[in-house]
Amino acid sequence: MTATHDRPQMLPEEFEEYARLAARVAEGVRWEFINGKIGVTPVPDGDHGRIIQWLARICIQAHPELWLHDQGLKVETYRNGHARPDGTLAHGDAFVGQGEWADADPVLMVVEVTSYDSDTDRRDRVEKPRAYAETGIPVYLLVDREAGEVTVFSEPDGVRYESTKTVPFGKPLTLPAPVSVTLDTEPLQGWVR
């Protein structure tokens, strides 16, 4: 399929098949299909993983019925995207019976921790907030290691998030409903390079 500005590089079903095949031969990368384009990111480093562990513990302590899943999601109303957030907060059994790319309806929050690669700005700061807002995911949390800040996006209107709040690492940040948790971001200062 020829890529143009009016249509995606391929159909979502084609992407799913290619991603399955590529995962068998290309270790160390994660595949996504956002804004009609294939994206490949490196597998997260140790600090990245530690940040997700920290956040998972906080969420589980506040809401024992929830889990921070590693789940691919079908996102975007236009072009039918597929994103693999670093964390997907939902009830423990929200994705039972679903495949690698699940419906985003039960998702309360998605989390992205920036990687040190050339596509981070476009992917995590521009395309994913829009895709998650279009999908109606209530909260998007961006842990931006490069900038040393945490941003929470909320109140999706079907196009964008109407509310955004950013704090530097070390300051508290309250995640709005339905998450309703205050993060002490001080530990994040030790998990950046």
Side-chain angles (χ1 to χ4, degrees):
M1 174 180 269
T2 304
T4 69
H5 70 280
D6 291 333
R7 62 177 193 219
Q9 290 175 328
M10 63 183 61
L11 296 172
E13 300 78 22
E14 293 172 320
F15 165 76
E16 290 176 14
E17 183 62 26
Y18 289 130
R20 269 192 297 279
L21 292 170
R24 292 183 199 151
V25 295
E27 293 183 27
V29 295
R30 296 172 72 162
W31 297 83
E32 296 180 305
F33 188 59
I34 299 175
N35 200 23
K37 295 181 177 68
I38 295 173
V40 180
T41 59
V43 170
D45 60 36
D47 292 338
H48 185 286
R50 182 63 181 104
I51 291 168
I52 294 298
Q53 290 173 345
W54 164 80
L55 188 58
R57 177 170 286 160
I58 291 168
C59 291
I60 290 170
Q61 287 174 340
H63 302 286
E65 73 282 7
L66 301 180
W67 187 252
L68 197 61
H69 301 265
D70 178 15
Q71 175 67 53
L73 298 174
K74 295 176 184 176
V75 298
E76 297 179 312
T77 53
Y78 175 67
R79 296 191 177 172
N80 301 313
H82 289 65
R84 184 166 301 284
D86 293 319
T88 303
L89 187 68
H91 286 274
D93 61 355
F95 304 114
V96 172
Q98 296 198 43
E100 182 178 358
W101 303 101
D103 182 63
D105 284 345
V107 177
L108 305 176
M109 176 176 75
V110 287
V111 179
E112 297 290 352
V113 178
T114 59
S115 299
Y116 298 108
D117 65 52
S118 61
D119 289 337
T120 289
D121 185 56
R122 176 186 50 80
R123 185 182 56 250
D124 293 339
R125 299 181 189 114
V126 177
E127 292 177 349
K128 285 190 175 180
R130 185 171 185 101
Y132 295 150
E134 285 179 0
T135 306
I137 296 171
V139 178
Y140 170 41
L141 181 67
L142 175 62
V143 179
D144 193 329
R145 297 189 293 170
E146 185 179 352
E149 356 179 272
V150 183
T151 302
V152 61
F153 300 82
S154 60
E155 301 176 32
D157 68 2
V159 175
R160 70 189 61 77
Y161 286 103
E162 292 184 353
S163 178
T164 304
K165 181 171 183 177
T166 302
V167 300
F169 289 175
K171 294 211 173 186
L173 177 66
T174 300
L175 304 180
V179 183
S180 304
V181 172
T182 298
L183 302 176
D184 171 8
T185 67
E186 183 73 30
L188 295 173
Q189 295 180 66
W191 301 321
V192 295
R193 48 177 158 125

